[in-house]
Amino acid sequence: MTLQTTNQANTDQVLLGQSLSQLTDWVEKHGQPAYRGKQLYQWLYQKEARSLLDISVFPKKWREEMADYPLGRSTIHHRSIAPDKTRKYLLSLADGLIIEAVGIPTAKRLTVCVSTQVGCPMDCDFCATGKGGFTRNLKAYEIVDQVLTVQEDFEQRVSNVVFMGMGEPLANIDEVIAAVKSLNQDVGIGARSLTVSTVGIPGKIQQLAQHRLQIVLAVSLHASNQALREQLIPSAKKYTLDNLLDECRDYVQVTGRRVTFEYILLAGINDLPENAHELAQCLKGFQTHVNLIPYNPISEADYQRPNNHRIREFTKILELANIAVSVRYSRGLEANAACGQLRASKV
Ligand code: SAH
């Protein structure tokens, strides 16, 4: 491996995202004893080093020689804090592109919502991210970096990660799986505290199942029948609700893990009592949990959030059908950091 002399990273060679044994090989190739691999690993993943210069246990001369070698860290371009203490970050990547990450603190936890792509190709009608189009997939280390950045900024260990930021995780499945493994093994976050959310892409849930990860899989259903789903989610035209649910059933069988379903509530569109009954019918026989997400307004769409009465009524119908249900009032609304509002801009 050749020495990098600028921060214009050859992104395959950055240090973040590499395992302990890969980092050990790397230090040895650069003339250092193997134990420095362990030190590098700890400083990268536990001490959030941003440059080899930061790693004070390394010999000064070597640190200075290697100072420009890219670690793979982003820089914070902008940060806004909502009244509920949710922090939204615009992060600048090595190639100058901007992504969003969100830090969501609660009494005992710190959850990070990570992006998996710059933009999104899915173009769901109610989501701001897709409105800006799709630019590129993120590398695994660019996903891990978001978690480290939020951890460093809050000065608190991250307990949970949700892959619910910009992008469709399963459209970038290899890098997402690599990021899941690194967050689990290198950063030390329990697999059950990692949630990957997908709108569904044919064959990809099955592919994910083969890895038998102990993560939570959340599937964005959003509609109780095929016609309604197609109206809201263009990609649903090529992937029927029946096929999606079949793939979810197989996922449960292969992994032994439950699937959670997300259902956005759009007033007058999919929040009627008949939709709730139809949804309950769709999910019959599933050991599942439904997360209802009242719509968060975006400027490009004129949907409305249902009133509380409607939300309660919808919830009740699912409960009576013995479906576990919760309502997710997204955090960070005032900072435009809530579900569906991420678009890599300050407002
Ligand atoms: N592409 C992934 C992750 C998207 S964001 C997926 O589709 O699952 C996480 C959740 O926020 C998804 O369920 C998404 O549909 C939902 N969402 C998108 N726009 C929203 C909005 N304006 N209000 C509320 N939820 C929204």
Side-chain angles (χ1 to χ4, degrees), residues 126-127 164 167-168 197-199 220 222 262 264 295-296 339-340:
F126 43 78
C127 178
M164 295 186 184
E168 167 45 50
S197 176
T198 179
V199 73
S220 293
H222 300 332
E262 291 161 288
I264 190 171
Y295 171 66
N296 298 312
C339 296

Side-chain angles (χ1 to χ4, degrees), residues 2 9 36 58 65 75 78 92 96 126 129 154 163 172 179 200 224 250 252 261 297 305 307:
T2 54
R36 298 236 179 263
F58 283 172
E65 267 168 37
T75 53
H78 184 76
S92 178
F126 43 78
T129 306
F154 273 85
F163 289 66
N172 184 19
S224 54
D250 289 348
V252 172
F261 290 102
R305 177 182 275 209
N307 62 33

Side-chain angles (χ1 to χ4, degrees), residues 27 46 58 65 91 101 111 131 181 204 229 274 289:
V27 293
Q46 307 304 326
F58 283 172
E65 267 168 37
L91 303 179
T111 298
K131 305 287 178 193
K181 290 184 177 165
K204 296 290 178 187
R229 198 159 191 270
E274 63 246 43
H289 182 103

Side-chain angles (χ1 to χ4, degrees), residues 113-114 116-117 120 122 124-129 163-170 196-200 218-222 233 262-266 291 293-298 301 303 305 328 330 333 338-342:
C113 175
V114 293
T116 54
Q117 298 182 309
C120 184
M122 307 313 285
C124 299
D125 202 41
F126 43 78
C127 178
T129 306
F163 289 66
M164 295 186 184
M166 301 169 79
E168 167 45 50
L170 296 192
V196 172
S197 176
T198 179
V199 73
V219 175
S220 293
L221 216 52
H222 300 332
I233 302 170
E262 291 161 288
Y263 191 100
I264 190 171
L265 287 172
L266 306 166
N291 236 313
I293 320 172
Y295 171 66
N296 298 312
I298 62 165
Y303 294 113
R305 177 182 275 209
R328 186 205 296 161
S330 308
L333 204 59
C339 296
Q341 295 186 316
L342 304 188

